[in-house]
């Protein structure tokens, strides 16, 4: 399990960060926020505040990456701060639900748009499985192949978003109308922040490939900050265009805001063009997921908490082929089961708890090690504490919104405890 040669640089890191965040959601989710926020000012304020919280998280992960430029990223940070069991439980939920469930849901979204553009064809499940297995095969060729495909899809994704923003500004007259119905003041703003913070999530997956970067202690923190800043700019531009073109009430009334904007700008060809952009965006997210997540399972195998075969690399490409195949197969099975959305909903609160725990790990590492890495969190400890509090508030909101799903999520999490001890004894 020797370390691979560094093949990825700053551009790769930045594209991986952005690719892990920007999926299909930004083309559709603005209406959810509009329904909860109500007024144009509160809609945009929610995205600004969410962006500030996400940037605070990116600064925290940047310092963690500078302190621990190791394979597995967030898994390694949890292990070093709190020990092997919490780290294993993070990887356990990542494989069974968080990453695989998210990939399955996005793969099915890709299938729907692809079949709609093609005018029909195979069943959605078959197209989703083909996308997942095809990208799995590409990533088995090596990190440069996987990163190259991910970078190309990210650039295409940005071009699609750029087209949406440009045509929305230049070809659609400004809308007018009453604000969408929503609770007043802070209540509506707080409710709107929940989907906003979910939409900004995903930057942490870039840390999974730290061991395959040429200079991870420098390029990974910079990539986190550049990528996150780029996503905030993209999200604010898209939402500003949607509010301008559709108005707050029109945005809240639709479930396909990007399509509506492009349809107003260019008619049905515009709607089909953005549908193609959404398909490319979902494929890019899948590519990034298959590139990054298997590095966590590789690190877990190196620690002896997963079968050793998962921790092997191909002798020529140095790709963790067994871990990549494991992720591809699990995501495909979840997609074909048809229960991916339900499964994913089980661990919303659990996922946010791991975010809070990882950020809290910075307090542990600073107290234990001191030192001044190249990248330090500005305003620490207050900004770090605020990020932890924001994650806990989102987790609490998820618990109150769906207590039964939260209980199932905790059950999945705790099921990893006996598995951890079993594999540790057999290692």
């Amino acid at each position: 399990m020797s370390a691979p040669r560094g093949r990825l640089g700053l551009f790769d890191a930045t594209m991986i960060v952005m690719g892990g965040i920007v999926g299909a959601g930004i083309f559709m989710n603005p209406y959810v926020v509009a329904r909860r926020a109500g007024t144009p000012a509160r809609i945009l304020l929610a995205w600004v505040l969410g962006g500030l919280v996400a940037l605070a998280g990116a600064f925290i992960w940047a310092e963690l990456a500078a302190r621990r430029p190791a394979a597995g990223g967030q898994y390694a940070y949890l292990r070093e701060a709190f020990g092997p069991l919490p780290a294993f439980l993070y990887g356990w939920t990542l494989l069974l639900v968080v990453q695989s469930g998210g990939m399955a849901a996005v793969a099915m979204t890709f299938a729907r748009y692809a079949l709609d553009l093609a005018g029909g064809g195979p069943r959605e499940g078959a197209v989703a499985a083909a996308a997942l297995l095809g990208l799995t095969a590409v990533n088995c060729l090596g990190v440069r192949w996987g990163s190259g495909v991910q970078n190309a899809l990210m650039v295409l994704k940005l071009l699609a978003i750029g087209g949406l923003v440009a045509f929305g500004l230049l070809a659609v007259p400004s809308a007018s109308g009453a604000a969408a119905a929503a609770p007043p003041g802070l209540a509506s703003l707080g409710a709107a922040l929940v989907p906003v913070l979910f939409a900004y999530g995903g930057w942490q997956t870039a840390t999974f490939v730290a061991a395959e970067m040429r200079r991870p202690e420098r390029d990974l923190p910079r990539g986190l900050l550049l990528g996150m800043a780029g996503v905030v700019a993209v999200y604010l531009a898209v939402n500003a265009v949607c509010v301008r073109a559709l108005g707050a009430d029109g945005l809240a009334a639709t479930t396909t805001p990007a399509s509506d904007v492009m349809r107003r700008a260019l008619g049905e060809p515009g709607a089909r063009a953005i549908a193609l952009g959404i398909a490319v965006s979902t494929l890019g997210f899948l590519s990034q997921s298959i590139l990054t997540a298997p590095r966590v399972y590789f690190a877990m195998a190196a620690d002896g908490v997963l079968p050793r075969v998962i921790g092997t690399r191909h002798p020529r490409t140095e790709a963790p082929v067994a871990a990549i195949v494991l992720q591809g197969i699990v995501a495909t099975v979840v997609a074909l089961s048809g229960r991916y959305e339900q499964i994913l909903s089980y661990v919303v609160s659990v996922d946010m708890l791991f975010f809070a725990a990882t950020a809290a790990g910075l307090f542990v590492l600073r107290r234990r090690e001191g030192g001044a890495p190249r990248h330090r969190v500005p305003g620490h400890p207050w900004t770090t504490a605020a990020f932890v509090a924001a994650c806990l508030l989102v987790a609490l909101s998820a618990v109150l919104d769906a207590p039964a799903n939260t209980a199932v999520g905790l059950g999945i999490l705790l099921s990893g405890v006996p598995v951890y001890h079993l594999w540790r004894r057999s290692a």
Side-chain angles (χ1 to χ4, degrees):
M1 298 185 189
S2 60
R5 294 191 302 273
R7 300 170 186 264
L8 305 181
L10 177 59
F11 177 76
D12 301 300
T14 304
M15 291 296 98
I16 290 170
V17 170
M18 298 185 74
I21 303 170
V22 182
I26 188 56
F27 295 100
M28 296 174 281
N29 280 352
Y31 83 88
V32 180
V33 179
R35 289 179 180 180
R36 297 186 179 191
T39 68
R42 288 205 297 261
I43 292 169
L44 296 178
L45 179 60
W47 287 100
V48 169
L49 292 176
L52 292 175
V53 172
L55 279 170
F59 273 109
I60 294 167
W61 263 248
E63 180 170 336
L64 289 168
R67 289 178 176 273
R68 290 291 185 278
Q74 187 169 342
Y75 166 81
Y77 312 153
L78 287 166
R79 181 190 62 209
E80 296 301 312
F82 301 113
L85 178 56
F88 172 82
L89 294 177
Y90 169 71
W92 177 252
T93 57
L94 193 76
L95 174 62
L96 290 187
V97 184
V98 175
Q99 199 71 20
S100 300
M103 289 169 62
V106 172
M108 292 299 289
T109 301
F110 165 76
R112 292 185 191 117
Y113 277 97
L115 289 173
D116 183 60
L117 286 166
R123 296 180 62 179
E124 288 181 357
V127 175
L132 287 167
L133 295 177
L135 290 170
T136 296
V138 168
N139 278 274
C140 286
L141 298 175
V143 71
R144 275 267 42 117
W145 274 89
S147 178
V149 170
Q150 140 65 24
N151 291 349
L153 290 170
M154 187 64 226
V155 170
L156 291 174
K157 191 187 306 187
L158 290 175
L159 289 174
I161 293 173
L164 170 65
V165 171
F167 285 113
L169 285 174
L170 300 176
V172 181
S174 179
S176 60
L186 290 177
S188 64
L189 185 60
L193 276 173
V194 175
V196 166
L197 289 177
F198 286 141
Y200 275 117
W203 74 83
Q204 76 284 0
T205 58
T207 65
F208 298 164
V209 295
E212 286 161 294
M213 300 190 69
R214 288 190 291 271
R215 298 186 62 181
E217 72 286 348
R218 183 197 68 175
D219 290 342
L220 182 52
R222 290 180 179 179
L224 281 163
L225 299 177
L226 288 173
M228 194 68 249
V231 170
V232 172
V234 165
Y235 278 16
L236 289 177
V238 169
N239 280 276
V241 163
C242 287
V243 169
R244 178 186 179 278
L246 304 176
D249 54 344
L251 182 55
T254 180
T255 58
T256 56
S259 296
D260 286 3
V261 170
M262 290 298 287
R263 187 175 285 108
R264 293 190 182 192
L266 300 175
E268 286 307 313
R272 289 185 65 80
I274 202 63
L276 178 60
I278 295 172
V280 169
S281 188
T282 55
L283 203 61
F285 178 88
L286 292 176
S287 178
Q288 194 271 3
S289 298
I290 295 175
L291 171 66
T292 56
R295 273 65 186 179
V296 174
Y297 318 135
F298 175 87
M300 293 170 72
D303 289 344
V305 295
L306 282 182
R308 288 197 175 275
V309 67
I310 305 300
T312 58
R313 293 185 182 275
H314 190 279
R316 183 175 60 82
T317 66
E318 297 185 317
V321 173
I324 292 169
V325 171
L326 173 66
Q327 178 65 89
I329 289 175
V330 174
T332 301
V333 169
V334 174
L336 294 175
S337 74
R339 297 173 61 84
Y340 48 89
E341 292 175 344
Q342 180 182 359
I343 291 172
L344 190 60
S345 71
Y346 290 157
V347 291
V348 167
S349 58
V350 172
D351 195 29
M352 296 308 297
L353 289 176
F354 278 121
F355 267 106
T358 305
L362 182 59
F363 291 99
V364 176
L365 294 178
R366 277 205 180 193
R367 185 176 65 251
R368 183 188 302 163
E369 301 169 356
R374 183 193 300 266
H375 296 272
R376 293 176 63 85
V377 178
H380 180 89
W382 306 112
T383 50
T384 305
F387 178 81
V388 172
C391 292
L392 293 176
L393 285 173
V394 174
L396 179 61
S397 297
V399 171
L400 296 175
D401 184 58
N405 283 351
T406 300
V408 174
L410 289 174
I412 294 171
L413 173 69
L414 294 175
S415 71
V417 175
V419 175
Y420 168 80
H421 289 294
L422 176 64
W423 277 332
R424 288 286 285 185
R425 284 198 299 269
S426 62

